[in-house]
Amino acid sequence: MRGKMRAALFAAAAVPFCFAGCAEQLTPPVREPEYDLEYTVNLPDLTPGFEVSPLIYGEFLEHIPGCIYGTIWAELLEDRKFYYAPGEEGLSPWTVFGKVAAAEGGCSGSDLAASLSDGAGISQQVMLREGRLNGSFYAGGEGTLTVKIADREQTFPLEGPFRKYTFTAEIAEGGEHTVSFTHTGGGMLLDSVSLMPSDNYCGMRRDTLDAMKALGGTIYRWPGGNFVSGYCWKDGIGDRDLRPSRRNEAWFADSGDLEEDRRRMAEAYSFYDLIEPNDMGTDEFLAMCGYIGAEPYMAVNTGSGSVEDAADLVEYCNGDAESEYGSLRAENGHALPYSIRYWCVGNEMQGDWQIGHVQIGEYVLRHNAFAEAMKAVDDDIFLTGCGDNASLWSDGMLASCAEHLDLIGEHLYAVNDPEKSNSSHMVSITGNFDLRLKNHRKLLEKYPEASHVRIAFDEYAFGWSAQATMRDALGIAAALNLFIENADIVAMANYSDAVFSASREDAPAALYADEGGCSFSPVGLVLQSYAQYMQKYVLTAFIRQTDRDTALDYQATISEDGKTVSLAIVNPSERTIAVRMQDERNTIETSVSIAGDAEEAIGDIGADAAGCTVENAPDTALIRPQSVHILVVRIG
């Protein structure tokens, strides 16, 4: 069984890449290139080495400010299920006029609604794009409700008990507009209001999904992250309008003090920093993975969650339609099992910041109980356990959980020091990864029964202090080179995070989004290029460097048929380097270059500060300063 499972680990679904981040392919003009140094590439042995897992080109998503809501999720209204009383100062995003109050008896799982008297209403200021919008609300009572968006009004006669009403609206000019709901007549209750672009896909922004599809990430870890240790997946299934809003327990535990809530909200990035509407849940995440062509990697809650909840989630996703939770999935519109293969058992449970943290001696028992319950539902799933091999935690996991582990998770957010040189910046991440890889090999020697356990670097990036820059792209490319070099023990990697709001100046991301669209960061261009162009097997290669101060970092891969070699080169220096093949029978078919201002992340949405260009059949590949190159070589 172990052998079969390890082999299957490489069998990730084929991803149809759309290489949208790079410029149109170019045929270079015939002219004498200018460069500072000239290096040659030697391929001494074309024998393939270890198989490179396609899952190292993965991404991570978490319900954290600016990652899900407003970027992937298309909903335009905040607090649409009225977690706080409408108009509650410092907490509610709604402005009220007339007599408005919170009332019990709402239709959502939060069981709260807005009570509107005659002539009363609520409104929000919302950034809208030009085009068609789809809206809806639940209402019960007497009289009429008027919905006004910009200068357009629609009036709905109310028909007694709670029911859902729908509408459409055309926005002639994008920008900030007022969205209001005004009641006339007897008393009424309003709940679960919604407004989305009409081209949304299962509630998600198509422009963001299209950018994620172009990014080419092979596997997505979700829903966290620290978030998962306070998350109940059962809150996020079924009719989205009827799901409850909850506090985001990872960052907004209930103090019971409304003034404390106000203080925290004033410091928050957005309303959804603190309140989780449960609009994007399990089925939506899996619809996202289907749209972009990526494997889902589902995390379960081992912090505040129960063994039973984890097993129920496996059954919901993978059970047949006759099982208890499989039948619930079928009722929710998905008769066939999702057949998720990769499961993350908990998140960073070694840390005292994590909900439900315990010492390793107790946690190994918890991990094994979760693993046994989940495998009892589906024995073919792969399980990742929480690791931290800079401490004794991973030692305890491998000593006590080897039979309940396929992978062990490692998280790394490298120091981001703007005073460091480009090459030192690269080493700040690769040096840390290298230490963890060496520690893991020592643990495998110490515990032979765990020899099958490989590493999943299922959260990694440079530290949270700035948007992802070209300097970061150099380091991430060097990290990917290291993952490829250690393909025998690295099974997965998930860059953190796949997408963030462009207004988050402290968040590293592959993609940035705002109301105008999405843009690739330099790191996103690197991740896209590696997933698109690197080959299946590790290959030994040497670059003859006459000046070691350039500090090139490189790695080669070879195709299954042995006819194509892809060589990734990271140049942190200020020099332009000409690269030629030592054997002239081997020709460069394609040269992919990612370069730009090292200090910049992105420019305007849709106009990347770092650029990606693709050249066909250059005689000489010019490795630009502060750049990442991938050379696709045809073996002659």
Side-chain angles (χ1 to χ4, degrees), residues 201-258:
Y201 178 78
C202 298
M204 291 170 280
R205 285 175 48 170
R206 281 190 185 268
D207 60 342
T208 304
L209 293 185
D210 287 340
M212 293 168 74
K213 186 175 183 178
L215 180 62
T218 50
I219 188 166
Y220 273 74
R221 177 170 173 254
W222 177 89
N226 294 350
F227 173 80
V228 76
S229 293
Y231 176 61
C232 178
W233 70 269
K234 293 172 182 175
D235 287 339
I237 59 173
D239 188 330
R240 289 194 294 269
D241 291 325
L242 307 185
R243 300 175 192 173
S245 291
R246 303 288 194 203
R247 300 176 80 91
N248 190 326
E249 292 292 338
W251 295 281
F252 194 49
D254 191 355
S255 67
D257 184 347
L258 208 60

Side-chain angles (χ1 to χ4, degrees), residues 2 53 200 260 267 328 345 367 379 387 418 426 439 444 493 586:
R2 284 289 180 199
S53 169
N200 76 83
E260 175 64 11
E267 297 173 352
L328 180 57
V345 184
H367 172 92
D379 189 47
M426 286 166 51
N439 285 345
L444 297 188
N586 301 329

Side-chain angles (χ1 to χ4, degrees), residues 467-601:
Q467 292 185 337
T469 64
M470 189 63 219
R471 270 167 54 91
D472 294 345
L474 300 175
I476 297 303
L480 290 171
N481 288 349
L482 192 61
F483 299 162
I484 292 168
E485 179 183 348
N486 291 273
D488 59 321
I489 60 170
V490 180
M492 187 190 302
N494 305 83
Y495 181 76
S496 176
D497 280 14
V499 59
F500 266 112
S501 168
S503 63
R504 282 217 63 168
E505 296 181 355
D506 62 339
L511 302 168
Y512 290 100
D514 69 5
E515 63 274 6
C518 292
S519 179
F520 277 71
S521 75
V523 168
L525 296 175
V526 164
L527 292 166
Q528 182 193 51
S529 299
Y530 271 72
Q532 174 75 12
Y533 286 103
M534 295 303 278
Q535 306 298 326
K536 189 173 183 179
Y537 296 96
V538 181
L539 182 68
T540 300
F542 297 103
I543 296 181
R544 182 175 177 272
Q545 302 179 48
T546 56
D547 185 342
R548 294 289 179 176
D549 289 341
T550 54
L552 294 189
D553 184 283
Y554 59 91
Q555 191 58 243
T557 54
I558 189 169
S559 61
E560 190 166 14
D561 63 8
K563 296 180 180 179
T564 304
V565 169
S566 291
L567 176 68
I569 303 172
V570 184
N571 178 16
S573 78
E574 298 293 336
R575 299 181 179 181
T576 299
I577 301 166
V579 172
R580 294 187 174 92
M581 305 306 298
Q582 180 170 300
D583 187 337
E584 293 182 356
R585 293 172 298 178
N586 301 329
T587 58
I588 301 173
E589 286 192 338
T590 307
S591 175
V592 183
S593 175
I594 301 155
D597 187 322
E599 302 304 323
E600 292 185 22

Side-chain angles (χ1 to χ4, degrees), residues 98-112:
K99 187 176 180 181
V100 179
E104 294 183 355
C107 63
S108 73
S110 306
D111 199 36
L112 292 177

Side-chain angles (χ1 to χ4, degrees), residues 125-201:
Q125 295 296 113
V126 181
M127 290 297 297
L128 302 177
R129 295 189 199 180
E130 180 181 335
R132 180 179 289 268
L133 299 173
N134 288 344
S136 64
F137 59 89
Y138 279 75
E142 301 175 355
T144 61
L145 187 71
T146 299
V147 179
K148 184 176 181 181
I149 302 176
D151 59 351
R152 304 291 181 88
E153 291 187 357
Q154 298 181 58
T155 298
F156 299 85
L158 302 181
E159 299 178 5
F162 254 122
R163 56 159 287 210
K164 186 174 185 177
Y165 298 80
T166 62
F167 61 90
T168 61
E170 289 287 346
I171 303 300
E173 183 177 348
E176 188 174 60
H177 295 282
T178 300
V179 177
S180 65
F181 299 82
T182 306
H183 174 237
T184 303
M188 68 158 289
L189 295 180
L190 178 68
D191 199 4
S192 294
V193 295
S194 178
L195 189 66
M196 290 189 177
S198 61
D199 67 346
N200 76 83
Y201 178 78

